[in-house]
Amino acid sequence: MSSRDEAFMRRALELAARGGTRTAPNPSVGAVVVKGGRIVGEGWNREYGGPHAEVYALRAAGKRAKGAT
């Protein structure tokens, strides 16, 4: 894993922490959508029963999500 990948993972963990205990019994999750070495979308689980972090991140990225990871 590259140092850039580690930075993206750290950002996902920071986002996950925003969920606090509101996601229980599910874990807190953060997600980033990356394209061209830049974050184009971010998200986190906000509450139990709500959309997952990935949904929020893809919504935020919009059309930029095409071809991203």
mmCIF file of all heavy atoms in Angstrom, residues 4-55:
data_model
loop_
_atom_site.group_PDB
_atom_site.id
_atom_site.type_symbol
_atom_site.label_atom_id
_atom_site.label_comp_id
_atom_site.label_asym_id
_atom_site.label_seq_id
_atom_site.Cartn_x
_atom_site.Cartn_y
_atom_site.Cartn_z
ATOM 1 N N ARG A 4 0.037 7.325 -0.240
ATOM 2 C CA ARG A 4 -1.184 8.016 -0.671
ATOM 3 C C ARG A 4 -2.409 7.193 -0.289
ATOM 4 O O ARG A 4 -3.395 7.728 0.207
ATOM 5 C CB ARG A 4 -1.147 8.254 -2.173
ATOM 6 C CG ARG A 4 -2.340 9.052 -2.662
ATOM 7 C CD ARG A 4 -2.299 9.276 -4.134
ATOM 8 N NE ARG A 4 -1.321 10.289 -4.452
ATOM 9 C CZ ARG A 4 -1.104 10.739 -5.671
ATOM 10 N NH1 ARG A 4 -1.791 10.258 -6.677
ATOM 11 N NH2 ARG A 4 -0.197 11.661 -5.899
ATOM 12 N N ASP A 5 -2.338 5.868 -0.515
ATOM 13 C CA ASP A 5 -3.441 4.986 -0.121
ATOM 14 C C ASP A 5 -3.668 5.044 1.382
ATOM 15 O O ASP A 5 -4.809 5.053 1.842
ATOM 16 C CB ASP A 5 -3.165 3.546 -0.540
ATOM 17 C CG ASP A 5 -3.200 3.346 -2.038
ATOM 18 O OD1 ASP A 5 -3.884 4.126 -2.743
ATOM 19 O OD2 ASP A 5 -2.544 2.402 -2.516
ATOM 20 N N GLU A 6 -2.587 5.083 2.144
ATOM 21 C CA GLU A 6 -2.705 5.174 3.597
ATOM 22 C C GLU A 6 -3.397 6.472 4.004
ATOM 23 O O GLU A 6 -4.227 6.480 4.929
ATOM 24 C CB GLU A 6 -1.335 5.071 4.259
ATOM 25 C CG GLU A 6 -0.758 3.669 4.204
ATOM 26 C CD GLU A 6 0.590 3.568 4.883
ATOM 27 O OE1 GLU A 6 0.862 4.354 5.824
ATOM 28 O OE2 GLU A 6 1.374 2.701 4.479
ATOM 29 N N ALA A 7 -3.109 7.547 3.315
ATOM 30 C CA ALA A 7 -3.754 8.825 3.613
ATOM 31 C C ALA A 7 -5.253 8.735 3.333
ATOM 32 O O ALA A 7 -6.065 9.264 4.115
ATOM 33 C CB ALA A 7 -3.122 9.947 2.796
ATOM 34 N N PHE A 8 -5.634 8.069 2.260
ATOM 35 C CA PHE A 8 -7.057 7.911 1.948
ATOM 36 C C PHE A 8 -7.739 7.036 2.999
ATOM 37 O O PHE A 8 -8.876 7.315 3.407
ATOM 38 C CB PHE A 8 -7.257 7.312 0.557
ATOM 39 C CG PHE A 8 -6.753 8.189 -0.565
ATOM 40 C CD1 PHE A 8 -6.103 7.635 -1.650
ATOM 41 C CD2 PHE A 8 -6.932 9.563 -0.545
ATOM 42 C CE1 PHE A 8 -5.656 8.418 -2.694
ATOM 43 C CE2 PHE A 8 -6.473 10.369 -1.583
ATOM 44 C CZ PHE A 8 -5.834 9.795 -2.655
ATOM 45 N N MET A 9 -7.051 6.007 3.451
ATOM 46 C CA MET A 9 -7.615 5.149 4.498
ATOM 47 C C MET A 9 -7.762 5.917 5.807
ATOM 48 O O MET A 9 -8.771 5.782 6.507
ATOM 49 C CB MET A 9 -6.743 3.909 4.719
ATOM 50 C CG MET A 9 -6.830 2.884 3.613
ATOM 51 S SD MET A 9 -8.491 2.207 3.437
ATOM 52 C CE MET A 9 -8.679 1.364 4.986
ATOM 53 N N ARG A 10 -6.770 6.741 6.135
ATOM 54 C CA ARG A 10 -6.870 7.569 7.344
ATOM 55 C C ARG A 10 -8.070 8.500 7.259
ATOM 56 O O ARG A 10 -8.800 8.693 8.226
ATOM 57 C CB ARG A 10 -5.588 8.379 7.564
ATOM 58 C CG ARG A 10 -4.506 7.619 8.309
ATOM 59 C CD ARG A 10 -3.402 8.542 8.797
ATOM 60 N NE ARG A 10 -2.740 9.277 7.726
ATOM 61 C CZ ARG A 10 -1.773 8.788 6.965
ATOM 62 N NH1 ARG A 10 -1.353 7.554 7.155
ATOM 63 N NH2 ARG A 10 -1.234 9.516 6.031
ATOM 64 N N ARG A 11 -8.300 9.067 6.087
ATOM 65 C CA ARG A 11 -9.449 9.954 5.908
ATOM 66 C C ARG A 11 -10.756 9.186 6.091
ATOM 67 O O ARG A 11 -11.686 9.681 6.730
ATOM 68 C CB ARG A 11 -9.408 10.614 4.528
ATOM 69 C CG ARG A 11 -10.563 11.549 4.288
ATOM 70 C CD ARG A 11 -10.585 12.687 5.286
ATOM 71 N NE ARG A 11 -11.754 13.545 5.038
ATOM 72 C CZ ARG A 11 -12.336 14.284 5.959
ATOM 73 N NH1 ARG A 11 -11.854 14.319 7.194
ATOM 74 N NH2 ARG A 11 -13.382 15.005 5.669
ATOM 75 N N ALA A 12 -10.822 7.966 5.564
ATOM 76 C CA ALA A 12 -12.021 7.144 5.741
ATOM 77 C C ALA A 12 -12.266 6.856 7.225
ATOM 78 O O ALA A 12 -13.405 6.877 7.690
ATOM 79 C CB ALA A 12 -11.902 5.847 4.946
ATOM 80 N N LEU A 13 -11.207 6.612 7.976
ATOM 81 C CA LEU A 13 -11.346 6.370 9.412
ATOM 82 C C LEU A 13 -11.807 7.631 10.148
ATOM 83 O O LEU A 13 -12.620 7.555 11.073
ATOM 84 C CB LEU A 13 -10.038 5.856 10.000
ATOM 85 C CG LEU A 13 -9.640 4.442 9.547
ATOM 86 C CD1 LEU A 13 -8.220 4.118 9.986
ATOM 87 C CD2 LEU A 13 -10.621 3.419 10.079
ATOM 88 N N GLU A 14 -11.296 8.793 9.728
ATOM 89 C CA GLU A 14 -11.747 10.053 10.325
ATOM 90 C C GLU A 14 -13.245 10.239 10.086
ATOM 91 O O GLU A 14 -13.982 10.651 10.988
ATOM 92 C CB GLU A 14 -10.995 11.233 9.719
ATOM 93 C CG GLU A 14 -9.540 11.319 10.106
ATOM 94 C CD GLU A 14 -8.777 12.365 9.305
ATOM 95 O OE1 GLU A 14 -9.387 13.039 8.423
ATOM 96 O OE2 GLU A 14 -7.573 12.517 9.537
ATOM 97 N N LEU A 15 -13.680 9.954 8.871
ATOM 98 C CA LEU A 15 -15.094 10.082 8.544
ATOM 99 C C LEU A 15 -15.929 9.100 9.355
ATOM 100 O O LEU A 15 -17.009 9.444 9.837
ATOM 101 C CB LEU A 15 -15.318 9.862 7.047
ATOM 102 C CG LEU A 15 -14.730 10.940 6.134
ATOM 103 C CD1 LEU A 15 -14.708 10.451 4.691
ATOM 104 C CD2 LEU A 15 -15.514 12.230 6.264
ATOM 105 N N ALA A 16 -15.425 7.874 9.514
ATOM 106 C CA ALA A 16 -16.155 6.860 10.274
ATOM 107 C C ALA A 16 -16.417 7.327 11.696
ATOM 108 O O ALA A 16 -17.493 7.086 12.256
ATOM 109 C CB ALA A 16 -15.384 5.543 10.280
ATOM 110 N N ALA A 17 -15.466 8.018 12.272
ATOM 111 C CA ALA A 17 -15.608 8.484 13.654
ATOM 112 C C ALA A 17 -16.786 9.454 13.807
ATOM 113 O O ALA A 17 -17.345 9.577 14.900
ATOM 114 C CB ALA A 17 -14.316 9.153 14.116
ATOM 115 N N ARG A 18 -17.191 10.092 12.724
ATOM 116 C CA ARG A 18 -18.322 11.022 12.798
ATOM 117 C C ARG A 18 -19.627 10.311 13.127
ATOM 118 O O ARG A 18 -20.559 10.944 13.619
ATOM 119 C CB ARG A 18 -18.467 11.784 11.489
ATOM 120 C CG ARG A 18 -17.332 12.728 11.210
ATOM 121 C CD ARG A 18 -17.583 13.506 9.957
ATOM 122 N NE ARG A 18 -16.477 14.405 9.679
ATOM 123 C CZ ARG A 18 -16.469 15.272 8.679
ATOM 124 N NH1 ARG A 18 -17.506 15.368 7.873
ATOM 125 N NH2 ARG A 18 -15.425 16.037 8.487
ATOM 126 N N GLY A 19 -19.692 9.017 12.827
ATOM 127 C CA GLY A 19 -20.904 8.255 13.114
ATOM 128 C C GLY A 19 -21.114 8.015 14.592
ATOM 129 O O GLY A 19 -22.233 7.763 15.030
ATOM 130 N N GLY A 20 -20.033 8.092 15.357
ATOM 131 C CA GLY A 20 -20.122 7.892 16.803
ATOM 132 C C GLY A 20 -20.821 6.590 17.142
ATOM 133 O O GLY A 20 -20.564 5.559 16.536
ATOM 134 N N THR A 21 -21.716 6.647 18.094
ATOM 135 C CA THR A 21 -22.446 5.444 18.518
ATOM 136 C C THR A 21 -23.820 5.349 17.867
ATOM 137 O O THR A 21 -24.575 4.424 18.152
ATOM 138 C CB THR A 21 -22.616 5.446 20.049
ATOM 139 O OG1 THR A 21 -23.345 6.621 20.434
ATOM 140 C CG2 THR A 21 -21.269 5.416 20.747
ATOM 141 N N ARG A 22 -24.137 6.278 16.979
ATOM 142 C CA ARG A 22 -25.464 6.303 16.351
ATOM 143 C C ARG A 22 -25.677 5.181 15.335
ATOM 144 O O ARG A 22 -26.791 4.979 14.878
ATOM 145 C CB ARG A 22 -25.700 7.654 15.671
ATOM 146 C CG ARG A 22 -25.763 8.808 16.657
ATOM 147 C CD ARG A 22 -25.989 10.140 15.959
ATOM 148 N NE ARG A 22 -24.996 10.449 14.942
ATOM 149 C CZ ARG A 22 -23.820 11.028 15.174
ATOM 150 N NH1 ARG A 22 -23.479 11.350 16.392
ATOM 151 N NH2 ARG A 22 -22.994 11.292 14.196
ATOM 152 N N THR A 23 -24.616 4.466 14.981
ATOM 153 C CA THR A 23 -24.740 3.405 13.979
ATOM 154 C C THR A 23 -24.924 2.022 14.600
ATOM 155 O O THR A 23 -25.166 1.061 13.883
ATOM 156 C CB THR A 23 -23.505 3.369 13.064
ATOM 157 O OG1 THR A 23 -22.353 3.080 13.849
ATOM 158 C CG2 THR A 23 -23.327 4.691 12.333
ATOM 159 N N ALA A 24 -24.801 1.920 15.926
ATOM 160 C CA ALA A 24 -24.913 0.621 16.606
ATOM 161 C C ALA A 24 -26.281 -0.002 16.321
ATOM 162 O O ALA A 24 -27.276 0.710 16.237
ATOM 163 C CB ALA A 24 -24.701 0.800 18.101
ATOM 164 N N PRO A 25 -26.330 -1.274 16.114
ATOM 165 C CA PRO A 25 -25.296 -2.280 16.331
ATOM 166 C C PRO A 25 -24.331 -2.451 15.157
ATOM 167 O O PRO A 25 -23.443 -3.291 15.203
ATOM 168 C CB PRO A 25 -26.098 -3.561 16.545
ATOM 169 C CG PRO A 25 -27.285 -3.398 15.660
ATOM 170 C CD PRO A 25 -27.608 -1.913 15.748
ATOM 171 N N ASN A 26 -24.494 -1.666 14.104
ATOM 172 C CA ASN A 26 -23.552 -1.727 12.988
ATOM 173 C C ASN A 26 -22.299 -0.934 13.321
ATOM 174 O O ASN A 26 -22.341 -0.033 14.170
ATOM 175 C CB ASN A 26 -24.189 -1.151 11.720
ATOM 176 C CG ASN A 26 -25.332 -1.995 11.204
ATOM 177 O OD1 ASN A 26 -25.414 -3.185 11.480
ATOM 178 N ND2 ASN A 26 -26.237 -1.380 10.479
ATOM 179 N N PRO A 27 -21.200 -1.222 12.637
ATOM 180 C CA PRO A 27 -19.978 -0.458 12.881
ATOM 181 C C PRO A 27 -20.077 0.930 12.247
ATOM 182 O O PRO A 27 -20.889 1.160 11.351
ATOM 183 C CB PRO A 27 -18.894 -1.298 12.187
ATOM 184 C CG PRO A 27 -19.626 -2.005 11.097
ATOM 185 C CD PRO A 27 -20.992 -2.296 11.658
ATOM 186 N N SER A 28 -19.254 1.840 12.716
ATOM 187 C CA SER A 28 -19.115 3.139 12.059
ATOM 188 C C SER A 28 -18.214 2.940 10.841
ATOM 189 O O SER A 28 -17.170 2.300 10.942
ATOM 190 C CB SER A 28 -18.472 4.152 13.011
ATOM 191 O OG SER A 28 -19.331 4.401 14.088
ATOM 192 N N VAL A 29 -18.635 3.472 9.711
ATOM 193 C CA VAL A 29 -17.897 3.277 8.463
ATOM 194 C C VAL A 29 -17.733 4.614 7.763
ATOM 195 O O VAL A 29 -18.650 5.422 7.728
ATOM 196 C CB VAL A 29 -18.650 2.301 7.528
ATOM 197 C CG1 VAL A 29 -17.927 2.148 6.194
ATOM 198 C CG2 VAL A 29 -18.820 0.946 8.185
ATOM 199 N N GLY A 30 -16.558 4.827 7.197
ATOM 200 C CA GLY A 30 -16.288 5.983 6.350
ATOM 201 C C GLY A 30 -15.867 5.503 4.977
ATOM 202 O O GLY A 30 -15.324 4.408 4.840
ATOM 203 N N ALA A 31 -16.132 6.308 3.967
ATOM 204 C CA ALA A 31 -15.772 5.933 2.601
ATOM 205 C C ALA A 31 -15.294 7.157 1.836
ATOM 206 O O ALA A 31 -15.806 8.264 2.030
ATOM 207 C CB ALA A 31 -16.979 5.322 1.886
ATOM 208 N N VAL A 32 -14.305 6.934 0.993
ATOM 209 C CA VAL A 32 -13.833 7.973 0.084
ATOM 210 C C VAL A 32 -13.842 7.419 -1.334
ATOM 211 O O VAL A 32 -13.566 6.236 -1.549
ATOM 212 C CB VAL A 32 -12.424 8.497 0.447
ATOM 213 C CG1 VAL A 32 -12.427 9.209 1.785
ATOM 214 C CG2 VAL A 32 -11.399 7.391 0.461
ATOM 215 N N VAL A 33 -14.180 8.266 -2.285
ATOM 216 C CA VAL A 33 -14.115 7.928 -3.707
ATOM 217 C C VAL A 33 -12.942 8.719 -4.262
ATOM 218 O O VAL A 33 -12.882 9.946 -4.101
ATOM 219 C CB VAL A 33 -15.425 8.300 -4.436
ATOM 220 C CG1 VAL A 33 -15.329 7.962 -5.916
ATOM 221 C CG2 VAL A 33 -16.615 7.587 -3.799
ATOM 222 N N VAL A 34 -12.006 8.010 -4.887
ATOM 223 C CA VAL A 34 -10.761 8.627 -5.339
ATOM 224 C C VAL A 34 -10.638 8.495 -6.855
ATOM 225 O O VAL A 34 -10.841 7.411 -7.417
ATOM 226 C CB VAL A 34 -9.543 7.955 -4.658
ATOM 227 C CG1 VAL A 34 -8.235 8.552 -5.161
ATOM 228 C CG2 VAL A 34 -9.653 8.076 -3.147
ATOM 229 N N LYS A 35 -10.293 9.603 -7.495
ATOM 230 C CA LYS A 35 -10.068 9.602 -8.940
ATOM 231 C C LYS A 35 -8.877 10.502 -9.242
ATOM 232 O O LYS A 35 -8.827 11.645 -8.782
ATOM 233 C CB LYS A 35 -11.312 10.104 -9.668
ATOM 234 C CG LYS A 35 -11.211 10.021 -11.168
ATOM 235 C CD LYS A 35 -12.544 10.355 -11.803
ATOM 236 C CE LYS A 35 -12.503 10.107 -13.294
ATOM 237 N NZ LYS A 35 -13.825 10.385 -13.888
ATOM 238 N N GLY A 36 -7.940 9.973 -9.987
ATOM 239 C CA GLY A 36 -6.770 10.769 -10.342
ATOM 240 C C GLY A 36 -5.959 11.213 -9.144
ATOM 241 O O GLY A 36 -5.363 12.287 -9.169
ATOM 242 N N GLY A 37 -5.952 10.395 -8.096
ATOM 243 C CA GLY A 37 -5.172 10.723 -6.904
ATOM 244 C C GLY A 37 -5.814 11.753 -5.993
ATOM 245 O O GLY A 37 -5.180 12.225 -5.057
ATOM 246 N N ARG A 38 -7.075 12.098 -6.271
ATOM 247 C CA ARG A 38 -7.781 13.092 -5.452
ATOM 248 C C ARG A 38 -9.104 12.529 -4.967
ATOM 249 O O ARG A 38 -9.759 11.764 -5.670
ATOM 250 C CB ARG A 38 -8.064 14.349 -6.273
ATOM 251 C CG ARG A 38 -6.793 15.043 -6.732
ATOM 252 C CD ARG A 38 -7.077 16.347 -7.428
ATOM 253 N NE ARG A 38 -7.838 17.220 -6.528
ATOM 254 C CZ ARG A 38 -8.624 18.192 -6.948
ATOM 255 N NH1 ARG A 38 -8.776 18.421 -8.221
ATOM 256 N NH2 ARG A 38 -9.278 18.936 -6.083
ATOM 257 N N ILE A 39 -9.517 12.931 -3.784
ATOM 258 C CA ILE A 39 -10.817 12.529 -3.253
ATOM 259 C C ILE A 39 -11.888 13.360 -3.952
ATOM 260 O O ILE A 39 -11.827 14.596 -3.939
ATOM 261 C CB ILE A 39 -10.880 12.723 -1.729
ATOM 262 C CG1 ILE A 39 -9.892 11.779 -1.031
ATOM 263 C CG2 ILE A 39 -12.304 12.492 -1.216
ATOM 264 C CD1 ILE A 39 -9.783 11.981 0.467
ATOM 265 N N VAL A 40 -12.844 12.664 -4.558
ATOM 266 C CA VAL A 40 -13.935 13.351 -5.256
ATOM 267 C C VAL A 40 -15.274 13.163 -4.545
ATOM 268 O O VAL A 40 -16.276 13.755 -4.935
ATOM 269 C CB VAL A 40 -14.031 12.915 -6.736
ATOM 270 C CG1 VAL A 40 -12.773 13.327 -7.497
ATOM 271 C CG2 VAL A 40 -14.275 11.423 -6.865
ATOM 272 N N GLY A 41 -15.300 12.313 -3.521
ATOM 273 C CA GLY A 41 -16.516 12.110 -2.752
ATOM 274 C C GLY A 41 -16.198 11.493 -1.408
ATOM 275 O O GLY A 41 -15.256 10.707 -1.294
ATOM 276 N N GLU A 42 -16.948 11.874 -0.391
ATOM 277 C CA GLU A 42 -16.767 11.339 0.956
ATOM 278 C C GLU A 42 -18.125 11.038 1.571
ATOM 279 O O GLU A 42 -19.123 11.681 1.232
ATOM 280 C CB GLU A 42 -16.078 12.356 1.867
ATOM 281 C CG GLU A 42 -14.702 12.757 1.446
ATOM 282 C CD GLU A 42 -14.072 13.717 2.438
ATOM 283 O OE1 GLU A 42 -14.799 14.506 3.087
ATOM 284 O OE2 GLU A 42 -12.843 13.676 2.558
ATOM 285 N N GLY A 43 -18.129 10.082 2.490
ATOM 286 C CA GLY A 43 -19.354 9.785 3.211
ATOM 287 C C GLY A 43 -19.080 8.961 4.447
ATOM 288 O O GLY A 43 -18.000 8.402 4.609
ATOM 289 N N TRP A 44 -20.081 8.908 5.335
ATOM 290 C CA TRP A 44 -19.998 8.081 6.536
ATOM 291 C C TRP A 44 -21.399 7.663 6.921
ATOM 292 O O TRP A 44 -22.367 8.319 6.542
ATOM 293 C CB TRP A 44 -19.296 8.801 7.683
ATOM 294 C CG TRP A 44 -20.023 10.000 8.215
ATOM 295 C CD1 TRP A 44 -20.891 10.030 9.267
ATOM 296 C CD2 TRP A 44 -19.958 11.340 7.725
ATOM 297 N NE1 TRP A 44 -21.359 11.307 9.464
ATOM 298 C CE2 TRP A 44 -20.804 12.130 8.512
ATOM 299 C CE3 TRP A 44 -19.257 11.948 6.684
ATOM 300 C CZ2 TRP A 44 -20.978 13.477 8.312
ATOM 301 C CZ3 TRP A 44 -19.433 13.293 6.474
ATOM 302 C CH2 TRP A 44 -20.273 14.047 7.282
ATOM 303 N N ASN A 45 -21.481 6.554 7.649
ATOM 304 C CA ASN A 45 -22.775 6.106 8.160
ATOM 305 C C ASN A 45 -23.210 7.098 9.230
ATOM 306 O O ASN A 45 -22.507 7.293 10.216
ATOM 307 C CB ASN A 45 -22.666 4.715 8.780
ATOM 308 C CG ASN A 45 -22.436 3.634 7.763
ATOM 309 O OD1 ASN A 45 -22.010 3.905 6.645
ATOM 310 N ND2 ASN A 45 -22.726 2.405 8.118
ATOM 311 N N ARG A 46 -24.354 7.693 9.030
ATOM 312 C CA ARG A 46 -24.814 8.716 9.967
ATOM 313 C C ARG A 46 -25.656 8.156 11.094
ATOM 314 O O ARG A 46 -25.624 8.686 12.204
ATOM 315 C CB ARG A 46 -25.576 9.788 9.204
ATOM 316 C CG ARG A 46 -24.628 10.640 8.363
ATOM 317 C CD ARG A 46 -25.401 11.531 7.414
ATOM 318 N NE ARG A 46 -24.566 12.517 6.762
ATOM 319 C CZ ARG A 46 -23.737 12.251 5.762
ATOM 320 N NH1 ARG A 46 -23.603 11.034 5.304
ATOM 321 N NH2 ARG A 46 -23.022 13.210 5.215
ATOM 322 N N GLU A 47 -26.422 7.093 10.797
ATOM 323 C CA GLU A 47 -27.268 6.504 11.828
ATOM 324 C C GLU A 47 -27.674 5.098 11.424
ATOM 325 O O GLU A 47 -27.694 4.764 10.235
ATOM 326 C CB GLU A 47 -28.523 7.346 12.058
ATOM 327 C CG GLU A 47 -29.410 7.435 10.830
ATOM 328 C CD GLU A 47 -30.595 8.352 11.028
ATOM 329 O OE1 GLU A 47 -30.756 8.883 12.137
ATOM 330 O OE2 GLU A 47 -31.347 8.525 10.076
ATOM 331 N N TYR A 48 -28.009 4.303 12.404
ATOM 332 C CA TYR A 48 -28.479 2.940 12.163
ATOM 333 C C TYR A 48 -29.733 2.996 11.285
ATOM 334 O O TYR A 48 -30.624 3.803 11.514
ATOM 335 C CB TYR A 48 -28.791 2.238 13.481
ATOM 336 C CG TYR A 48 -29.376 0.858 13.288
ATOM 337 C CD1 TYR A 48 -28.574 -0.187 12.884
ATOM 338 C CD2 TYR A 48 -30.727 0.628 13.469
ATOM 339 C CE1 TYR A 48 -29.100 -1.451 12.682
ATOM 340 C CE2 TYR A 48 -31.268 -0.628 13.278
ATOM 341 C CZ TYR A 48 -30.445 -1.665 12.879
ATOM 342 O OH TYR A 48 -30.976 -2.915 12.671
ATOM 343 N N GLY A 49 -29.752 2.152 10.270
ATOM 344 C CA GLY A 49 -30.901 2.073 9.380
ATOM 345 C C GLY A 49 -30.855 3.037 8.211
ATOM 346 O O GLY A 49 -31.667 2.946 7.306
ATOM 347 N N GLY A 50 -29.909 3.956 8.222
ATOM 348 C CA GLY A 50 -29.782 4.923 7.134
ATOM 349 C C GLY A 50 -28.878 4.407 6.027
ATOM 350 O O GLY A 50 -28.350 3.289 6.104
ATOM 351 N N PRO A 51 -28.698 5.206 4.990
ATOM 352 C CA PRO A 51 -27.802 4.810 3.901
ATOM 353 C C PRO A 51 -26.385 4.543 4.417
ATOM 354 O O PRO A 51 -25.947 5.147 5.400
ATOM 355 C CB PRO A 51 -27.822 6.018 2.966
ATOM 356 C CG PRO A 51 -29.108 6.707 3.264
ATOM 357 C CD PRO A 51 -29.336 6.493 4.729
ATOM 358 N N HIS A 52 -25.680 3.684 3.720
ATOM 359 C CA HIS A 52 -24.302 3.351 4.085
ATOM 360 C C HIS A 52 -23.354 4.456 3.625
ATOM 361 O O HIS A 52 -23.689 5.278 2.768
ATOM 362 C CB HIS A 52 -23.906 2.027 3.455
ATOM 363 C CG HIS A 52 -24.549 0.850 4.119
ATOM 364 N ND1 HIS A 52 -23.852 -0.262 4.483
ATOM 365 C CD2 HIS A 52 -25.840 0.620 4.484
ATOM 366 C CE1 HIS A 52 -24.672 -1.134 5.044
ATOM 367 N NE2 HIS A 52 -25.888 -0.614 5.048
ATOM 368 N N ALA A 53 -22.164 4.437 4.173
ATOM 369 C CA ALA A 53 -21.141 5.431 3.863
ATOM 370 C C ALA A 53 -20.863 5.507 2.362
ATOM 371 O O ALA A 53 -20.683 6.591 1.803
ATOM 372 C CB ALA A 53 -19.848 5.087 4.610
ATOM 373 N N GLU A 54 -20.840 4.355 1.720
ATOM 374 C CA GLU A 54 -20.531 4.314 0.292
ATOM 375 C C GLU A 54 -21.589 5.056 -0.532
ATOM 376 O O GLU A 54 -21.262 5.710 -1.524
ATOM 377 C CB GLU A 54 -20.423 2.855 -0.182
ATOM 378 C CG GLU A 54 -19.315 2.074 0.497
ATOM 379 C CD GLU A 54 -19.723 1.450 1.838
ATOM 380 O OE1 GLU A 54 -20.835 1.718 2.350
ATOM 381 O OE2 GLU A 54 -18.908 0.683 2.380
ATOM 382 N N VAL A 55 -22.842 4.946 -0.109
ATOM 383 C CA VAL A 55 -23.926 5.645 -0.809
ATOM 384 C C VAL A 55 -23.695 7.150 -0.746
ATOM 385 O O VAL A 55 -23.775 7.852 -1.762
ATOM 386 C CB VAL A 55 -25.297 5.263 -0.219
ATOM 387 C CG1 VAL A 55 -26.407 6.128 -0.800
ATOM 388 C CG2 VAL A 55 -25.579 3.785 -0.435
#
